[in-house]
Amino acid sequence: MILTRVKVNIFKLHNFLYNIIVMKKLTVLLLLILLTAALELSAAELKFELSVDKTTLAIGEGTQLSLTFTGDRGVPQPNPPQIDDFSVNYMGSSTQMSIINGSMSSSVSYNYSLVPMKKGEFKIGPFSVQHDGKTYSSNTITINVVDGQGGASQQQPKTQSQQKTKAAGDMKDRLFITLKPSKTAVYVNEIFTVKVKLHVRDIAVREVGFPQVADGGFSLSNFEKPVQTTENINGLTYQTVEFTTTAFAATAGGSMKLGAATLDCNIMIRENRRMSPGGMFNDDFFNNVFASLRPEPVKLKSEAVTVKVLPLPEEGKPKGFRGALGKFEMSASVTPENVKTGDPVTLKMTFSGKGNFNTITKPEPEENANLKYYEPQIKQDPNSKNFDTAVIPLTNTVTQIPEVVFSYFDPDEKSYKTIKRGPFPIKVTGAATATAAKIVEQSKIQGTTPVEKEVFAKDVVFIKEHPGNLVKRGDMEKMLYRNPIFLSLSMLPLLIYIFALIHAKRSKRLRNDVQYVRRLRAPKQAREGIKAVRVYLKNSKEEEFYNTVHKTVYEYLGNKLHLPPGEAADEKIYALLEQKGVETQLLKEILNACELARYAKGGTVGSSSEMERIFKHLEDFIDKTERTL
């Protein structure tokens, strides 16, 4: 009996040791396979290819241009391609890895949206990219841009109206801006009008911004509210949006460049929703039926305009001219007309008309020892400017305020003009202020003449001589406003108001600030994801474990960094986190493990200890990221 048990135990030990040896061999074999695949991947030659969704487009119809690098996923994003007569905008990147017959390959694609601006045949590429000290060139793609709805229009005969003019086909002739100043020759400091006009025909435009104008030495004001009109150009009707502002040159610099003007807007382009390959709806008819419109950002640019800036002529310049430029009128008055010595009168000057009101300064009065002028109060409106100057007559011999002389240059008539107003008669009574003060002082010193009792103004508030009704200190303690409960309740409305204000601002931000909402959502979703990962780890469900880890990481980082779903690429995430000071080593290990589990299925990739290690890395990475961001 004992011998039988010994034989059974020896047999079990033999099977146990045999299983251990087999597992070790399988592990070594797996490592060799992975090492071989990695060496093949690293030794693969980098290929740079261009591809588009469609090679025949209509004007205003978009397609996707992909710059694909095969053999190395570490190629950084190249500079956006500069393609004439196309609007180019970055859409995001994507990565791909595949294992076929034990051979592993990977690629990264950088995708751009292309929208043609004119018809014709265009060659895209070749483009060149430098990576690891080598230069890689792409292939060339030919895109044919036609009128109508892409390739479908080629099958239809063109009507006479479609062949009428070349302008009927080019995007640049259907959507453009112009820059037009009211004058191309101005004097220094002369204000002139600048208009930027957006022309639109047969295309949907959204989210039009205010234009930006390169000043080139001119000072420009803010644009006024735009005006929408229609305009006929060469027999074609355009919808126009006109932006108006004013400008002037502070120095005479000869010929100066104004512009160019730029304007940002979105055009609505057609985007076909492709049906599944081989389906009954996968033809051009149904693709056009299910097509949708999406906004495509476009930057429009006008031509620059040359403006000649002239200096003011010296001939005929009047004495006292101080640089006023425009066509002005002046009115002047003095109030009151009857004053006592030492009392002020107000000299009011009003300038109206059109021109550069900033060049108008206070006219200098004639020197008069019996008048004292103070600095004026200035008020300026878009079409007028006022100077209110206080003038004090020092003696009763003053009979008038001297005339006011104002000179300006009229750029339309190209000559100097002078306006005179006054003199302004006034009547001053009473002795001179200095003499009266001296007499009062002498009478006080000599004591010969009794000083007249001074009568104080009736609006002076005197010191109260009687305290009124007094209250005992003990009774004051019993008053309501000293009760702590009353004081606490009196603060309650203020606290409620503050709480309601904070709640309203937070609610408004939650409704309008998408980035803020996503940042708040990120840690909550991460906790839910970690909870699900923990369950799969406990139940040793390897595939669900790695899929949930991968989903949790990308959802968390997409919300935390406010990335659109199409732009959550590994390289971009690494770059953004490193810019914000977040260590990415744990993240790279997590994503590499998930990537390996996705492409090497069969239960041989992850062990319980490996899954626990990845789970620990996931918790540590999210914790460190929350404390850093």
Side-chain angles (χ1 to χ4, degrees), residues 332-585:
S333 62
V334 171
T335 55
E337 297 180 355
N338 297 318
V339 294
K340 294 182 179 180
T341 303
D343 289 346
V345 297
T346 300
L347 172 60
K348 184 172 184 178
M349 295 171 285
T350 301
F351 300 89
S352 59
K354 64 176 183 178
N356 191 344
F357 282 91
N358 292 326
T359 60
I360 299 178
T361 58
K362 181 194 71 171
E364 289 296 330
E366 297 179 4
E367 293 187 3
N368 190 326
N370 295 325
L371 293 173
K372 184 176 181 180
Y373 290 85
Y374 289 86
E375 288 298 318
Q377 293 182 354
I378 304 174
K379 181 181 178 181
Q380 182 171 332
D381 295 324
N383 298 314
S384 66
K385 192 169 186 178
N386 299 327
F387 295 88
D388 292 346
T389 305
V391 184
I392 295 181
L394 302 178
T395 67
N396 55 10
T397 59
V398 176
T399 59
Q400 65 181 14
I401 302 297
E403 70 176 355
V404 179
V405 181
F406 171 66
S407 299
Y408 66 92
F409 181 78
D410 188 337
D412 294 334
E413 299 185 10
K414 301 179 181 179
S415 61
Y416 292 94
K417 305 290 184 181
T418 300
I419 302 175
K420 297 182 179 181
R421 296 290 183 266
F424 308 95
I426 62 172
K427 183 177 180 181
V428 183
T429 59
T433 55
T435 306
K438 184 175 180 181
I439 293 174
V440 171
E441 189 65 24
Q442 286 180 348
S443 62
K444 286 183 179 181
I445 296 174
Q446 295 175 1
T448 55
T449 304
V451 180
E452 184 179 355
K453 184 177 180 181
E454 185 177 1
V455 179
F456 294 97
K458 295 182 179 180
D459 58 347
V460 175
V461 178
F462 296 97
I463 298 175
K464 191 173 182 179
E465 298 179 355
H466 301 285
N469 298 326
L470 300 178
V471 180
K472 293 182 180 180
R473 186 178 182 86
D475 295 336
M476 291 181 62
E477 298 293 338
K478 299 178 182 179
M479 291 185 176
L480 183 61
Y481 71 88
R482 290 179 173 269
N483 191 319
I485 299 177
F486 173 77
L487 294 177
S488 301
L489 293 176
S490 63
M491 295 295 294
L492 186 60
L494 178 61
L495 296 176
I496 294 175
Y497 172 76
I498 294 174
F499 174 78
L501 184 63
I502 295 174
H503 178 71
K505 288 186 176 181
R506 176 178 170 81
S507 300
K508 183 179 180 181
R509 188 174 184 185
L510 290 175
R511 290 193 303 269
N512 301 328
D513 193 342
V514 178
Q515 183 175 358
Y516 175 71
V517 173
R518 294 188 68 184
R519 287 178 62 88
L520 290 181
R521 186 191 304 161
K524 181 179 179 181
Q525 287 187 343
R527 288 192 297 269
E528 294 176 354
I530 291 175
K531 184 178 179 181
V533 169
R534 184 181 288 109
V535 173
Y536 292 133
L537 174 62
K538 183 178 180 181
N539 296 330
S540 299
K541 293 184 178 181
E542 179 183 336
E543 182 177 355
E544 292 83 354
F545 172 83
Y546 284 105
N547 288 339
T548 307
V549 169
H550 187 271
K551 178 182 178 182
T552 300
V553 169
Y554 273 95
E555 286 185 350
Y556 172 73
L557 293 177
N559 289 329
K560 200 70 176 178
L561 302 176
H562 191 50
L563 294 175
E567 296 186 11
D570 295 353
E571 293 78 7
K572 186 169 186 178
I573 290 175
Y574 296 153
L576 290 174
L577 290 177
E578 289 172 357
Q579 289 177 4
K580 298 177 181 295
V582 179
E583 177 61 41
T584 59
Q585 183 60 36

Side-chain angles (χ1 to χ4, degrees), residues 179-186 192-196 258 305-307:
L179 172 66
K180 186 176 181 180
S182 58
K183 294 183 177 181
T184 56
V186 297
F192 59 98
T193 302
V194 178
K195 293 185 177 182
V196 178
L258 176 65
V305 180
T306 301
V307 179

